Every structure is written in C-alpha cells, then in structure tokens.
Amino acid sequence: QSALTQPPSVSGSPGQSVTISCTGTSSDVGSYNRVSWYQQPPGTAPKLMIYEVSNRPSGVPDRFSGSKSGNTASLTISGLQAADEADYYCTSYASSSTFVFGTGTKVTVL
Amino acid sequence: QVQLVQSGAEVKKAGSSVKVSCKTSGGTFSTTAINWVRQAPGQGLQWMGRIIPFLGIAEYAQNFQGRLTITADKSTTTAHMELSSLRSDDTAVYFCAREEEGYRFAYWGQGTLVTVSS
C-alpha cells in the first residue's frame, strides 16, 4: 500500500486560507468516505482535526474544513493563525481493514 | 476520560525483538480497535496494524507481515505490539491510537521511542 500524496509544505500569512491536498487511489480515498486529518506539532502525538472527510470533532475550530473529490481529499484552514503551524497528515481507510497515511505537509505561518 | 499510556523507551540490538505496551483506561476496551502507528526520525506517520480485542484478530500492513504481532489483553485493557528481526531503520517513535466510530484515531498514546543499534 503506497502512502497518500501530500505537498511537502504550504504557507500563508495570518488571516489567509491554505489548502492541503491528499491524493490516493480508487482503492482508498476514492472508495471510502473514511478520510481523516491530523495535526502534529513537533514532538507531540497527532491530534484528530477532521474525520469522515468533513466532520469536525468537538473542540476543533470551524476554521478547519475538509472535502473530497474523486481520489483527492483536501483540508482547508481559514483565518490562518500562528497556532496552526504544524505538520498535517491525512489518512484513509483502505481495503481489508487497513489504513494508509499521507506523506505529510508542513504548514508555515509567515 | 479515555487515556492511553505506553511503556517506556527501549534500546535494542539489530536482529532482536521489542514489545511495546499500551494501557488504556476509560471507554470500552473490548469492542474498540487499537491501532499502531510509527514515525521514524524526521519522517511521516506509518500505519502498522490494528486489533479489535473482542475479536482477537489483528490486521497488518503489508510492509510488516511476518515481523509484527499485535495482541490485546482484555483483563488488563492493554494492547501490545511486538516487532521482531529489528533493523536500524525500525528506529522510530511508536504510537498506539484508539479508533472510534467513523474510522478516526481519536485518542493517542504519548509515544514510545525504540532505538535499534547495530
């Protein structure tokens, strides 16, 4: 199972919006609405930000939103803040009760 | 309040095995999958496998087939991950994560650093 493809880095100024793409195949992202997104500041465990493509857990600001089209899922961060600077990973359910992570994207707030 | 607490850091020789534990509290242990994810230094997250304690059946990523064993002890609400035939590129932080409804890894352990030396 190959890793899902994410851009290595994205950046934006405070208040701007950034979008991170996550491209898989018809065997994972394209087949299931089971895409999640995780935020990982350096040296910490990942934190769930989005699940089932576009659902936000309680406590996650509505500045974070998710979507999917075909084999590509996306995470958008609106109203970018300094606290959003971290690595972000997508993951998708694949076949036979397995999961695959994305390659990760570093978000930098300029 | 759900908590996952992992065992401490390990230093192992190449060719040996390591076993990492993940003690869970809060919520329902038996029917909720525990996943294992690792992160090599400076690298991304890699899904390794999962187990649903009630079923006792584990699923593994292809990369780890034959080297990885995931078990769960319902009596102590603890999951274990054992990786054998260790190589230097197995040096990583290993995380356990509890999978909630919606195929989401809602709760994570603090991570366990495994260092493999030659």
Side-chain angles (χ1 to χ4, degrees):
Chain A
Q1 190 79 33
S2 298
L4 308 176
T5 300
Q6 299 180 228
S9 63
V10 299
S11 61
S13 300
Q16 287 187 331
S17 295
V18 295
T19 296
I20 304 168
S21 60
C22 169
T23 301
T25 68
S26 57
S27 297
D28 38 61
V29 175
S31 285
Y32 306 99
N33 287 327
R34 298 169 184 174
V35 176
S36 299
W37 290 90
Y38 299 86
Q39 177 192 66
Q40 187 184 34
T44 69
K47 174 188 175 184
L48 176 68
M49 305 302 284
I50 295 286
Y51 66 99
E52 288 183 314
V53 176
S54 59
N55 293 323
R56 270 188 315 277
S58 60
V60 173
D62 59 6
R63 300 185 296 102
F64 291 85
S65 62
S67 62
K68 191 187 90 166
S69 177
N71 295 339
T72 298
S74 298
L75 173 72
T76 297
I77 309 173
S78 305
L80 199 61
Q81 299 179 1
D84 300 332
E85 199 162 274
D87 294 328
Y88 290 80
Y89 295 90
C90 61
T91 188
S92 174
Y93 180 88
S95 58
S96 304
S97 299
T98 62
F99 291 83
V100 59
F101 275 94
T103 49
T105 299
K106 181 177 181 59
V107 171
T108 301
V109 182
L110 301 172
Chain B
Q1 182 76 351
V2 175
Q3 283 193 310
L4 283 70
V5 178
Q6 299 183 220
S7 50
E10 302 262 13
V11 178
K12 293 291 183 179
K13 291 282 192 184
S16 66
S17 299
V18 68
K19 191 170 187 177
V20 179
S21 66
C22 174
K23 166 73 176 172
T24 73
S25 59
T28 304
F29 177 76
S30 290
T31 55
T32 308
I34 298 293
N35 290 256
W36 288 90
V37 176
R38 77 176 185 180
Q39 186 169 36
Q43 303 298 310
L45 300 172
Q46 183 180 26
W47 184 81
M48 300 177 69
R50 76 200 277 263
I51 188 167
I52 299 177
F54 173 75
L55 296 176
I57 298 173
E59 305 286 348
Y60 303 111
Q62 237 176 352
N63 291 349
F64 298 99
Q65 291 278 0
R67 286 207 301 144
L68 177 62
T69 304
I70 296 175
T71 57
D73 184 338
K74 296 190 290 292
S75 67
T76 60
T77 64
T78 301
H80 302 275
M81 183 282 301
E82 184 170 18
L83 189 62
S84 62
S85 301
L86 289 170
R87 309 184 292 251
S88 57
D89 62 358
D90 290 318
T91 294
V93 175
Y94 290 76
F95 294 100
C96 60
R98 185 171 131 146
E99 182 187 330
E100 299 292 315
E101 184 179 344
Y103 299 87
R104 50 182 161 149
F105 303 150
Y107 304 99
W108 293 72
Q110 82 275 22
T112 296
L113 175 62
V114 175
T115 304
V116 182
S117 64
S118 53

